[in-house]
Amino acid sequence: MSIEIEIVNGGQSGPPIERLFAQSSTEEEANAAWRHIKWADPDLRVLIDAPEGELACHTGIFFRTATWNGQKVHIGGIGQVTTRPECRRRGYASIALEAAVHTMRDHDAAQFALLFCEPHNFEFYQSRGWHAFTGAVYAEQPQGRIRFEVMAPMVLDLKRRAPTLGTLDLCGLPW
């Protein structure tokens, strides 16, 4: 069995990625609290092809200069993690997440990583070393700066210990 992992420029989306998102969306997501959020586009994408050659999993990687308690910090982000329904529970998301974290660790500036998740994914990320960020998170939206509370933030140490409290301003769209 062979799994193809590719890291591409975030601007490269195209039909395979659009098809994956369409196949992976559920009725539950159509009614999710985050459905009206404007999301950032990834800087990089991790793509995992299944042995049968079709795109099985996607993870977006984001790099941002944000502020934590008023001080500039360089962070990496994980977002848009999705796996085709028939490919779930085979480890593809774990492989994509590990590749994304490895890429962020190799990035010169990213000090810690941040992602947003729904409660049913907490255990998945916690088992991979992510911790809850219990402070306030702010992000930009078309209507202006908002407190971002529609999904729970989680952090991961990269080059320094990730904060778990305080005020984090993404200085841009969430991911």
Side-chain angles (χ1 to χ4, degrees):
M1 182 170 100
S2 172
I3 296 174
E4 180 85 21
I5 302 171
E6 187 177 9
I7 299 176
V8 300
N9 185 305
Q12 297 176 327
S13 62
I17 294 171
E18 292 166 14
R19 239 185 342 270
L20 174 65
F21 283 119
Q23 292 169 341
S24 301
S25 61
T26 64
E27 186 178 318
E28 192 175 281
E29 289 174 348
N31 298 317
W34 47 262
R35 71 186 177 282
H36 297 300
I37 296 294
K38 177 155 177 54
W39 301 98
D41 291 324
D43 295 301
L44 299 171
R45 298 175 186 275
V46 177
L47 307 176
I48 306 287
D49 287 339
E52 48 288 354
E54 202 169 325
L55 184 59
C57 184
H58 169 279
T59 297
I61 303 174
F62 303 80
F63 295 105
R64 179 82 55 86
T65 299
T67 63
W68 174 62
N69 291 338
Q71 300 294 317
K72 283 187 179 182
V73 290
H74 301 286
I75 58 177
I78 298 288
Q80 302 178 3
V81 178
T82 191
T83 304
R84 262 190 6 240
E86 66 272 18
C87 293
R88 292 182 182 153
R89 309 211 59 78
R90 294 187 194 173
Y92 293 128
S94 294
I95 293 167
L97 181 64
E98 185 60 34
V101 168
H102 182 76
T103 300
M104 287 188 295
R105 282 200 168 109
D106 285 348
H107 192 272
D108 290 337
Q111 298 168 355
F112 64 91
L114 173 76
L115 62 77
F116 299 97
C117 74
E118 295 175 291
H120 67 271
N121 289 323
F122 290 164
E123 189 177 311
F124 173 81
Y125 291 110
Q126 285 176 329
S127 70
R128 286 151 182 85
W130 293 79
H131 305 282
F133 180 86
T134 56
V137 177
Y138 291 88
E140 294 297 322
Q141 285 295 283
Q143 69 271 22
R145 184 174 181 257
I146 63 164
R147 183 161 179 177
F148 189 75
E149 299 176 298
V150 297
M151 296 176 85
M154 298 187 81
V155 293
L156 180 74
D157 302 343
L158 293 177
K159 293 186 175 58
R160 66 174 262 194
R161 180 174 291 202
T164 56
L165 296 169
T167 300
L168 185 59
D169 189 333
L170 300 180
C171 300
L173 296 172
W175 48 82

